[in-house]
Amino acid sequence: MAKNWTYKTPGIPDELFIQSDEVPGPTKEEIRVITISKARLNEGNVVVDVGCGTGGLTVEAALQVGAKGKVYAIDEDEAAIKLTNGNLEKFGVRGNVSVTRGKAPEALLSLPMADAFLIGGGGVSLRTILQAAFFKLKPNGRIVINAILLETATVAISELKALGFKDIDITHISVAKGKQINSGTMMMARNPITIVSATKP
Ligand code: SAH
C-alpha cells in the first residue's frame, strides 16, 4: 500500500517527490499520467524504466503493477539511483522495484522479458536502446518514449518503424498551469513533450 498516494489513478503531485538539483525529474505530473496510460499497464506486469532519474515514473509504474508485478529501474547516474530509492521508500513501493546503476543498452541485456518499456533517457544510444527493448519485450508489449528534443522523437519514430513496431502513436503535449497573480489567474506554459509509443507485434 502506498504510504503517500492512496489513489488508484496516477498523477502524484510533483512536490510530493524528494527532488535534487543534480538529477532531472520527476517527469511532470500530467506527462506522467499520459505516459503511464500509453504504457497500458496491468497488475502483475513487468516494466523497465530506462533512465529513472528522480524515480517519478518508476513510482507510478510500481503502483500500477502492484505487489505481483515488478519494475526494473536503471540509471547511469549514482545520484539518480539514490534519489529513486528514496522516493520508492517514501511511496512504500520498495518491495516490487529493482534499481540498478548501469548504462543502457548494456544494462538491459540481463533483464527478463517485459510487458512495457518506459524510455526517458538514452541520448546518443537511443537507437540501440530501442533495439534492446524490442528484443526484451513480450509480444504485444508496449514501448513509450518521452522526448524533450525533436531529434529524440524523430529518431524514435524511424527506429520503431525499422524494427517493425505496430500502432506507432505520436502525441505532443503542451501543459499550462494556472498561477495566481494580483489581477487573476495567469496560465504559465511548461516545456512541451513528445510522447512516442508503440506495440511490439
Ligand atoms: N522519468 C524520470 C526522469 C528521467 S531524466 C522521472 O520521472 O524522475 C533522464 C535520466 O536518464 C537521467 O537521470 C540520466 O542519467 C538517465 N540516462 C540518460 N542516458 C542513459 C543511459 N544510456 N543509460 C542509463 N541512464 C541514462
Side-chain angles (χ1 to χ4, degrees):
M1 184 64 183
K3 288 187 205 162
N4 285 283
W5 190 248
T6 55
Y7 308 100
K8 182 177 180 173
T9 48
I12 302 168
D14 297 337
E15 60 272 19
L16 293 190
F17 287 94
I18 310 163
Q19 301 182 33
S20 157
D21 291 342
E22 296 162 45
V23 179
T27 298
K28 294 280 184 284
E29 175 183 331
E30 289 78 10
I31 305 296
R32 264 184 279 117
V33 170
I34 297 173
T35 303
I36 291 295
S37 154
K38 296 284 181 193
R40 300 180 187 166
L41 301 178
N42 266 320
E43 262 185 44
N45 276 178
V46 174
V47 179
V48 183
D49 185 11
V50 182
C52 57
T54 299
L57 285 173
T58 310
V59 169
E60 298 274 16
L63 290 170
Q64 294 295 320
V65 303
K68 291 185 192 138
K70 183 94 182 173
V71 180
Y72 293 88
I74 289 160
D75 207 292
E76 60 185 344
D77 177 25
E78 182 61 32
I81 297 299
K82 283 201 184 120
L83 202 51
T84 295
N85 275 320
N87 278 312
L88 293 175
E89 195 65 48
K90 177 167 184 188
F91 290 95
V93 288
R94 190 75 198 83
N96 62 332
V97 182
S98 158
V99 187
T100 307
R101 184 176 181 194
K103 193 171 170 62
E106 295 81 357
L108 306 178
L109 300 177
S110 57
L111 296 178
M113 297 299 281
D115 297 284
F117 266 79
L118 308 174
I119 310 212
V124 291
S125 306
L126 182 61
R127 275 187 196 278
T128 47
I129 290 171
L130 296 179
Q131 288 158 13
F134 182 83
F135 181 67
K136 287 290 177 182
L137 270 176
K138 298 176 190 174
N140 290 316
R142 297 281 297 166
I143 189 160
V144 187
I145 301 121
N146 280 359
I148 297 171
L149 304 180
L150 282 180
E151 287 80 359
T152 304
T154 55
V155 167
I157 295 161
S158 80
E159 191 60 35
L160 291 180
K161 279 185 191 159
L163 287 165
F165 274 95
K166 60 180 183 178
D167 305 331
I168 299 173
D169 175 270
I170 301 120
T171 301
H172 190 71
I173 301 167
S174 295
V175 172
K177 302 285 279 189
K179 184 186 172 198
Q180 296 308 311
I181 58 171
N182 282 345
S183 48
T185 309
M186 182 177 174
M187 298 311 296
M188 307 283 287
R190 291 190 167 170
N191 293 343
I193 304 284
T194 308
I195 302 183
V196 182
S197 59
T199 303
K200 181 175 172 173

